[in-house]
Amino acid sequence: MSSSELPCKECCDVTIIHDEIVSDVQAKQLPLEKGNELALLFQALSDPTRLRIIHTLIQAEVCVCDLAAILEMSQSSISHQLRNLRALRLVKHRKVGRMVYYSIDDEHVLSLMEIGLQHISHS
Amino acid sequence: MSSSELPCKECCDVTIIHDEIVSDVQAKQLPLEKGNELALLFQALSDPTRLRIIHTLIQAEVCVCDLAAILEMSQSSISHQLRNLRALRLVKHRKVGRMVYYSIDDEHVLSLMEIGLQHISHS
DNA sequence: TTAATATATGAATACATGATCATATATCTA
DNA sequence: TAGATATATGATCATGTATTCATATATTAA
């Protein structure tokens, strides 16, 4: 429990209390780039509408029109959100005529939803 | 592939294409309340700074001051973010004198981080 | 070809959010 | 007790975001 002059001291005006912990943990830091990517992934899951879309698509492949009906929201809103989910490769689409069918594009999404639901349940 | 007059038609101006899918899936919908809670959880994970804090606390229990030094950010910023994470019971704190030590308060957080990192890696 | 329909998207708006600054609170130390 | 220090927090501001509206695109049907 001693203060010191680690390199960091030169780049921010914060006191360092535990030298070893700071240097140890700093060496194992989450790379900034990974942090940013990971944040984007969770950000895609941070909206109730998008979560309801995902929860729906986990159960069935659904076209945009039906998705809007199921969630009782406008087609435009759903379409915008699907674009977001598509950009992060969380959902994929299949075009049939003028209809577009969306479905889940990643096993990880299922796990994330399950674990997330567990967390909010046992609270 | 037929349109129809399901109840939903009265509450939104969207055409329903697949009757059965819509009614089936609508019956298994994620409750609005659960969707909102789940969104809050993922929202807490949707910021690079908070993810770096969590990644740090997975490795060790760290005081606010050292956290700020490790992440090279202001004490105020870290403290605000910790409040956020605490509100969602993702981290817990232990007070010792004037220092406050934070650590992970949930096994689920570890799983969410791991699965998230898997997703962004194999892409 | 023309009208209808399913989806996508740009612009605008209202709202949420993260960092900073100033300052409050609590604890330690001299 | 007075000053220093670790943390918390309200206010502000700049930025990000979800929905809506209007409209574009693409496909089907008449």
Side-chain angles (χ1 to χ4, degrees):
Chain A
M1 299 231 186
S2 60
S3 291
S4 75
E5 311 292 319
L6 282 194
C8 171
K9 196 115 193 215
E10 290 150 24
C11 53
C12 59
D13 60 354
V14 173
T15 311
I16 293 174
I17 306 290
H18 310 83
D19 290 3
E20 289 183 24
I21 289 179
V22 170
S23 50
D24 281 7
V25 173
Q26 222 169 19
K28 295 178 192 165
Q29 258 196 94
L30 183 65
L32 284 179
E33 183 55 33
K34 286 227 171 194
N36 292 336
E37 277 185 64
L38 199 51
L40 284 177
L41 168 62
F42 287 123
Q43 201 264 0
L45 302 175
S46 72
D47 176 75
T49 298
R50 285 194 293 272
L51 287 178
R52 293 171 70 213
I53 290 176
I54 289 173
H55 185 262
T56 300
L57 298 184
I58 283 176
Q59 296 172 67
E61 183 192 54
V62 181
C63 69
V64 178
C65 192
D66 286 348
L67 253 183
I70 291 167
L71 303 186
E72 299 178 13
M73 294 186 66
S74 72
Q75 176 271 320
S76 177
S77 182
I78 297 296
S79 203
H80 275 293
Q81 298 291 22
L82 285 170
R83 190 188 195 201
N84 190 327
L85 293 172
R86 217 170 48 199
L88 283 148
R89 300 177 320 284
L90 296 179
V91 304
K92 61 188 173 190
H93 63 295
R94 178 172 71 92
K95 195 168 183 181
V96 177
R98 62 186 152 182
M99 319 266 297
V100 179
Y101 293 87
Y102 281 84
S103 55
I104 299 294
D105 187 27
D106 197 294
E107 343 102 55
H108 297 131
V109 186
L110 275 136
S111 310
L112 291 174
M113 289 290 281
E114 276 172 24
I115 298 172
L117 284 168
Q118 277 176 31
H119 177 72
I120 64 172
S121 294
H122 85 70
S123 307
Chain B
M1 299 225 185
S2 60
S3 291
S4 74
E5 312 292 321
L6 282 195
C8 172
K9 197 117 193 212
E10 289 150 25
C11 51
C12 59
D13 60 354
V14 174
T15 311
I16 293 174
I17 307 291
H18 309 83
D19 290 2
E20 289 182 25
I21 290 179
V22 170
S23 49
D24 280 7
V25 174
Q26 223 170 21
K28 295 177 193 167
Q29 257 196 94
L30 182 64
L32 284 180
E33 183 54 32
K34 285 226 171 194
N36 292 337
E37 277 186 65
L38 198 52
L40 284 177
L41 169 62
F42 286 124
Q43 201 264 0
L45 302 175
S46 71
D47 176 75
T49 299
R50 284 193 294 271
L51 287 177
R52 292 171 71 214
I53 290 176
I54 289 173
H55 185 262
T56 301
L57 297 184
I58 284 177
Q59 296 171 69
E61 184 193 52
V62 181
C63 69
V64 178
C65 192
D66 286 348
L67 253 182
I70 291 167
L71 304 185
E72 298 178 12
M73 295 186 65
S74 72
Q75 175 271 321
S76 176
S77 183
I78 298 295
S79 202
H80 275 293
Q81 297 294 20
L82 285 170
R83 189 188 196 201
N84 190 328
L85 293 171
R86 217 170 47 198
L88 284 147
R89 301 177 317 286
L90 296 179
V91 304
K92 61 188 172 190
H93 62 295
R94 178 172 70 94
K95 195 167 182 181
V96 177
R98 61 187 153 184
M99 319 267 297
V100 178
Y101 294 87
Y102 281 83
S103 55
I104 299 295
D105 187 27
D106 197 295
E107 342 103 54
H108 297 130
V109 185
L110 275 137
S111 310
L112 291 174
M113 289 290 282
E114 276 174 22
I115 298 171
L117 284 168
Q118 277 177 31
H119 177 73
I120 65 172
S121 294
H122 85 72
S123 305

